[in-house]
Amino acid sequence: MNSAATVALMHRRAGQGWIEVIAGPMFSGKSEELIRRITRYELARIPTQVFKPALDDRYAVSRVVSHSRLSTPAVPVSSSEELLKAVEDRTVVVGVDEGQFFDGDLTDVAMMLADAGKQVIIAGLDTDYLGRPFEPIPSLMLRAEYITKSLAVCHRCGGPGLFTQRLGQSDELVVLGATDAYEARCRRCYDPQEPQQDTLIDLTEVEARV
Ligand code: ADP
Ligand code: MG
Ligand code: ZN
């Protein structure tokens, strides 16, 4: 058993709560890892609840779904406060996906839940498409007992994908999408100023097919 698992077991024996953050770029397996952990708790008959931001309805409204199509039921909520109110007394493990789409109160809510003995696992993007800290994930990482940093495979060269590259013209911070709107990139291939010709060609091809 690795040391993180040993410490987690100690926490559980003592009935203590804790916070874990699973952070990384898009396609790095954050949702997959969250789903894997939740599934294992359920196998052990430990009561879980999973939450997601209501604005993320890409695959399903009330499920967390990974790019590899693994999924688990999830409650859509519009704010951290709504999340806190929805946590049931009997729940031991609270999972949250797409934590970066929550308001800044998520850190306080996670602290309250952990102080109350819950095990809180939050997955989310640590940086936005310009490589800036994507709050509240960085703040949550400062309050977390455990941090799992996940890397994707760079879509360009196969190297360690640390960044999320946006393909397209939008300046909006939140543009929901998957393969067509974003790529994982390594530090050599990532370029927030990248010219958009590739994307324009792709879009023309997509339109031609429709
Ligand atoms: P995240 O939640 O971090 O966006 P997911 O858990 O939804 O990631 O998806 C991870 C899965 O995405 C991988 O298991 C793999 O099947 C698929 N995938 C597609 N493109 C990539 C990539 N460039 N790097 C890693 N995984 C990828
Ligand atoms: Mg995800
Ligand atoms: Zn690369």
Side-chain angles (χ1 to χ4, degrees), residues 6-196:
T6 312
V7 179
L9 193 62
M10 282 162 54
H11 274 124
R12 210 171 85 209
R13 286 209 180 112
Q16 250 186 311
W18 44 261
I19 299 173
E20 171 167 11
V21 174
I22 302 168
M26 279 186 72
F27 304 105
S28 64
K30 301 182 301 297
S31 299
E32 244 172 36
E33 183 61 19
L34 178 65
I35 294 163
R36 190 182 78 87
R37 286 173 198 230
I38 294 295
T39 305
R40 291 177 68 92
Y41 282 113
E42 280 169 1
L43 283 168
R45 298 201 178 80
I46 294 169
T48 67
Q49 276 183 286
V50 178
F51 297 94
K52 61 182 273 185
L55 71 90
D56 181 15
D57 57 1
R58 278 177 291 178
Y59 298 112
V61 174
S62 33
R63 296 190 82 77
V64 166
V65 184
S66 76
H67 290 111
S68 50
R69 295 296 192 270
L70 293 175
S71 75
T72 193
V75 180
V77 286
S78 303
S79 67
S80 307
E81 194 189 345
E82 193 182 325
L83 187 159
L84 182 62
K85 283 185 184 150
V87 175
E88 295 162 11
D89 283 348
R90 65 184 291 274
T91 297
V92 176
V93 179
V94 178
V96 182
D97 199 23
E98 304 289 359
Q100 78 283 352
F101 289 154
F102 281 84
D103 50 272
D105 291 342
L106 189 61
T107 308
D108 284 347
V109 164
M111 295 275 283
M112 274 186 249
L113 291 170
D115 289 347
K118 314 278 187 208
Q119 301 170 10
V120 186
I121 309 174
I122 299 179
L125 294 169
D126 46 3
T127 57
D128 67 15
Y129 72 105
L130 294 173
R132 301 172 300 195
F134 206 156
E135 291 293 351
I137 298 297
S139 296
L140 271 161
M141 288 164 88
L142 303 178
R143 299 279 179 259
E145 276 83 353
Y146 310 108
I147 298 171
T148 298
K149 175 120 178 172
S150 52
L151 291 174
V153 176
C154 174
H155 278 99
R156 278 276 164 98
C157 76
L162 180 65
F163 297 105
T164 305
Q165 175 88 45
R166 181 179 287 176
L167 313 170
Q169 306 284 6
S170 176
D171 292 329
E172 295 285 314
L173 180 60
V174 177
V175 174
L176 287 177
T179 25
D180 51 347
Y182 297 97
E183 279 185 359
R185 296 278 181 92
C186 72
R187 65 170 65 249
R188 276 194 303 178
C189 300
Y190 172 66
D191 178 8
Q193 309 303 328
E194 179 175 273
Q196 308 292 334

